């Protein structure tokens, strides 16, 4: 914390009036106190919100839960309101004070170093606030980020629960669910040949969207190895491994995935040719 107490000597030997020194110190301390109170409110709001969002995410049966993102949006809105108050106080009180002090020093033939030090101290303190805000925004983003491994485990668990329990609506005979269906599917009853529609859960329907992200997460270490040592063969290894993971998660998409793989591989090879 800068020391603004006591008299300051100007370059011409004139002393800066004690009143100016005191006013500068008071304004700086008011600004610091204001930011501290904002930070305390931000900590209280965000620490509770991160816990709540994580709980909502873990309990949700929807990979892209709209309610979850609405809660996050509301919290970000409150953070934006705090930022607005900060800007308002700075623009209406702190910056005008700095300009007035600089003009007074200049009119008195004194150097503006005290005003510059004041502005720098205020900006440094605001930078601390900004860093804390950015940290909380990042934690809020991470709190709602889908846990793809956990979601995939829930999909597998759901499949185990329903695969032997689906019944024909006409005769009540059991219809085996032979694989994970992620779209509504007609299944024929082996007893009476009635077509029955099987409706997967909303979470299971998200499997095609989840699969690529999960495959990329599982092979991220291979991509990182390429980024550290950009040898073409390392990227090819990553690409093949990622698509193998993708195909293992959604075997029904293997055909279209392999066409996509060949296109990406060809594009990459062309860039290094």
């Amino acid at each position: 914390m800068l020391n603004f107490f006591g008299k300051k000597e100007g370059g011409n030997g004139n002393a800066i009036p004690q009143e100016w020194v005191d006013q500068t110190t008071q304004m700086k301390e008011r600004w610091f106190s204001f930011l501290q109170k904002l930070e305390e409110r931000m900590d209280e709001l965000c620490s509770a919100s991160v816990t709540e969002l994580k709980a909502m995410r873990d309990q949700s049966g929807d990979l892209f839960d709209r309610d979850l993102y609405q809660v996050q949006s509301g919290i970000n809105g409150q953070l934006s309101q705090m930022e607005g108050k900060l800007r308002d106080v700075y623009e209406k009180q702190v910056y005008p004070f700095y300009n007035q002090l600089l003009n007074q020093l200049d009119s008195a033939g004194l150097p503006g170093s005290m005003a510059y030090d004041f502005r720098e101290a205020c900006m440094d303190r605001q930078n601390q606030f900004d860093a804390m805000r950015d940290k909380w925004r990042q934690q809020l983003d991470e709190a709602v980020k889908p846990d793809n491994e956990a979601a995939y485990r829930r999909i597998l668990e759901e499949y185990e629960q329903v695969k032997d329990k689906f019944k024909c609506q006409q005769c009540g005979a059991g219809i085996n669910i032979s694989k994970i269906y992620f779209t509504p599917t007609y299944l024929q009853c082996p007893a009476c040949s009635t077509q029955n529609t099987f409706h997967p859960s909303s979470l299971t329907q998200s499997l095609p969207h989840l699969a690529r992200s999960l495959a990329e997460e599982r092979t991220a270490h291979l991509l990182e190895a390429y980024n550290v040592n950009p040898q073409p063969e390392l990227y090819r290894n990553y690409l093949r491994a990622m698509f193998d993971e993708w195909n293992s998660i959604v075997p029904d998409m293997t055909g279209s995935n392999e066409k996509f793989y060949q296109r990406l591989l060809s594009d990459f090879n062309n860039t290094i040719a």
Side-chain angles (χ1 to χ4, degrees):
M1 186 177 293
L2 296 177
N3 178 22
F4 290 142
F5 293 99
K7 288 191 175 182
K8 300 275 186 175
E9 294 295 329
N12 58 8
N14 295 331
I16 297 176
Q18 184 63 40
E19 180 183 3
W20 297 6
V21 175
D22 292 342
Q23 290 174 350
T24 302
T25 301
Q26 291 168 8
M27 177 58 73
K28 178 178 68 69
E29 291 179 345
R30 284 170 55 193
W31 175 242
F32 280 27
S33 177
F34 169 72
L35 289 176
Q36 183 176 349
K37 290 178 181 177
L38 276 185
E39 288 172 348
E40 290 170 354
R41 287 175 53 197
M42 182 164 56
D43 274 336
E44 182 179 0
L45 168 68
C46 292
S47 59
S49 298
V50 166
T51 301
E52 178 184 359
L53 287 170
K54 286 181 178 179
M56 289 179 64
R57 180 198 64 190
D58 293 342
Q59 294 171 6
S60 176
D62 187 347
L63 192 63
F64 307 101
D65 191 324
R66 182 174 298 178
D67 291 340
L68 186 66
Y69 290 99
Q70 286 179 341
V71 172
Q72 183 198 21
S73 178
I75 298 164
N76 281 327
Q78 293 185 59
L79 290 179
S80 296
Q81 289 178 3
M82 293 183 191
E83 293 170 343
K85 290 180 180 179
L86 183 152
R87 288 193 300 270
D88 189 61
V89 171
Y90 185 84
E91 292 171 1
K92 293 183 178 179
Q93 298 183 39
V94 178
Y95 191 71
F97 179 87
Y98 158 74
N99 273 333
Q100 181 182 12
L101 176 62
L102 190 61
N103 290 334
Q104 287 176 329
L105 291 169
D106 183 62
S107 298
L110 297 169
S113 56
M114 188 172 77
Y116 301 141
D117 288 346
F118 165 78
R119 181 182 63 177
E120 182 177 356
C122 291
M123 292 178 66
D124 286 346
R125 185 61 185 84
Q126 182 176 341
N127 288 339
Q128 294 178 32
F129 173 90
D130 291 342
M132 179 178 290
R133 176 209 59 210
D134 292 344
K135 180 202 72 172
W136 279 122
R137 285 194 185 279
Q138 181 179 1
Q139 291 192 32
L140 289 167
D141 288 341
E142 291 174 353
V144 299
K145 182 180 178 181
D147 185 337
N148 292 318
E149 288 287 358
Y152 184 52
R153 286 196 300 272
R154 290 201 300 273
I155 290 172
L156 294 178
E157 291 168 359
E158 284 184 2
Y159 171 67
E160 290 298 323
Q161 292 171 4
V162 303
K163 67 178 183 178
D164 297 320
K165 296 181 180 178
F166 189 58
K167 305 293 184 181
C168 175
Q169 294 181 348
Q170 181 68 28
C171 69
I175 302 176
N176 178 255
I177 309 298
S178 59
K179 62 180 180 179
I180 297 177
Y181 293 102
F182 45 81
T183 59
T185 304
Y186 289 114
L187 299 175
Q188 183 172 301
C189 174
C192 69
S193 299
T194 299
Q195 293 287 343
N196 293 262
T197 305
F198 173 73
H199 293 278
S201 70
S202 59
L203 179 60
T204 301
Q205 290 184 51
S206 71
L207 181 58
H209 304 285
L210 176 151
R212 180 176 180 177
S213 297
L214 181 55
E216 289 174 343
E217 289 173 5
R218 289 177 172 180
T219 55
H221 61 288
L222 298 176
L223 182 58
E224 179 61 24
Y226 167 73
N227 290 332
V228 172
N229 181 23
Q231 297 297 318
E233 197 58 31
L234 292 178
Y235 186 77
R236 295 189 187 102
N237 290 341
Y238 157 71
L239 203 61
R240 183 65 266 171
M242 192 274 283
F243 273 87
D244 286 344
E245 283 286 350
W246 193 353
N247 292 337
S248 72
I249 297 168
V250 281
D252 286 356
M253 297 180 65
T254 299
S256 60
N257 282 353
E258 285 303 302
K259 292 179 182 178
F260 186 28
Y261 163 74
Q262 292 296 337
R263 186 163 67 251
L264 292 181
L265 181 61
S266 177
D267 290 345
F268 175 73
N269 289 335
N270 288 335
T271 64
I272 61 175

